[in-house]
Amino acid sequence: MTCAIIDYGSGNLHSAEKSFQRMRREAGGPEITVTSDPEAVLRAERIVLPGVGAFADCQAGLMAVPGMVEVLRQRVEAGTPFMGICVGMQLLATVGREFGDTPGLGWIPGAVTALQPSDPALKVPHMGWNELHIDRPHPIFDGVEPGEHAYFVHSYHVTPDDISHRLAHVNYGTKVTAAIGRDNIVGTQFHPEKSQRTGLHVIANFLNWAP
């Protein structure tokens, strides 16, 4: 059994792999593998899609891996636990509106739009630690206490069409989606691999989540 972290040329793969390996040792779960091979993803028990940079660039990078999107779709439709991180979460949406409109995977309907804090003193990108507010209980947040913080680096955010798909938010001049999910799919705008205890909790919970 494996948890496949997708390598498609975008994402802090070393840091993510290190954190997932650590929590596998401490909390159990499948072997961790970083791969760009769709056949390896087809056999994986869990899938993680990281992402750093612009939405369109990440989508183009993912589409450029032959057969990867088709395998991801097949595995997600079969109920495989799936986690998107940062832009990997944004790709779950219907469309990204960064440098024009780019279609996303469409697994959680919604749009990725520019952050526009109501307070002009708040800078974009939103970078640093912010307090998580859990909107809907979910197994990936088991053990995460109210008031815990997570680490963010982003200029765009997801607005899901169905508000019940928003699992958590942070306040940054407006409510900013911090996590989304439905069925066997979850995504975090924050970087769990950089979020110390809070992020490690989320990773351990994902590795043992049985949706």
Side-chain angles (χ1 to χ4, degrees):
M1 295 189 297
T2 60
C3 174
I5 301 176
I6 308 300
D7 179 4
Y8 62 108
S10 177
N12 190 354
L13 296 178
H14 176 72
S15 178
E17 180 185 18
K18 185 176 178 181
S19 295
F20 275 79
Q21 292 280 16
R22 173 182 171 181
M23 296 321 296
R24 177 190 176 271
R25 292 193 301 270
E26 295 183 10
E31 294 279 350
I32 309 300
T33 181
V34 175
T35 183
S36 58
D37 181 4
E39 288 299 318
V41 177
L42 192 62
R43 298 188 299 269
E45 183 192 37
R46 294 167 194 278
I47 300 169
V48 178
L49 182 68
V52 174
F55 185 103
D57 290 344
C58 288
Q59 179 71 324
L62 187 61
M63 296 292 289
V65 181
M68 183 62 79
V69 171
E70 291 80 2
V71 166
L72 290 178
R73 197 176 305 277
Q74 179 180 341
R75 297 300 291 141
V76 165
E77 290 176 355
T80 304
F82 179 98
M83 182 179 192
I85 296 175
C86 196
V87 181
M89 179 194 91
Q90 295 179 4
L91 292 177
L92 300 175
T94 309
V95 62
R97 303 199 186 282
E98 185 174 4
F99 308 121
D101 285 5
T102 302
L105 296 169
W107 297 344
I108 297 184
V112 179
T113 57
L115 281 174
Q116 295 180 321
S118 58
D119 182 351
L122 294 174
K123 296 180 179 179
V124 176
H126 170 213
M127 182 165 58
W129 295 88
N130 207 323
E131 181 181 349
L132 287 174
H133 299 271
I134 309 300
D135 295 302
R136 184 160 66 84
H138 192 282
I140 67 160
F141 289 123
D142 285 353
V144 176
E145 301 295 331
E148 290 194 27
H149 287 63
Y151 187 81
F152 293 79
V153 183
H154 65 119
S155 300
Y156 285 73
H157 71 123
V158 176
T159 302
D161 291 348
D162 184 343
I163 196 63
S164 71
H165 291 156
R166 191 179 71 193
L167 304 180
H169 73 276
V170 295
N171 292 315
Y172 196 70
T174 185
K175 283 188 176 180
V176 176
T177 300
I180 57 177
R182 69 168 182 84
D183 305 325
N184 54 306
I185 304 169
V186 295
T188 64
Q189 182 63 65
F190 60 91
H191 287 271
E193 76 279 9
K194 297 181 180 180
S195 295
Q196 299 182 4
R197 186 184 71 168
T198 300
L200 293 175
H201 255 129
V202 169
I203 290 170
N205 288 337
F206 175 75
L207 289 175
N208 292 280
W209 177 37

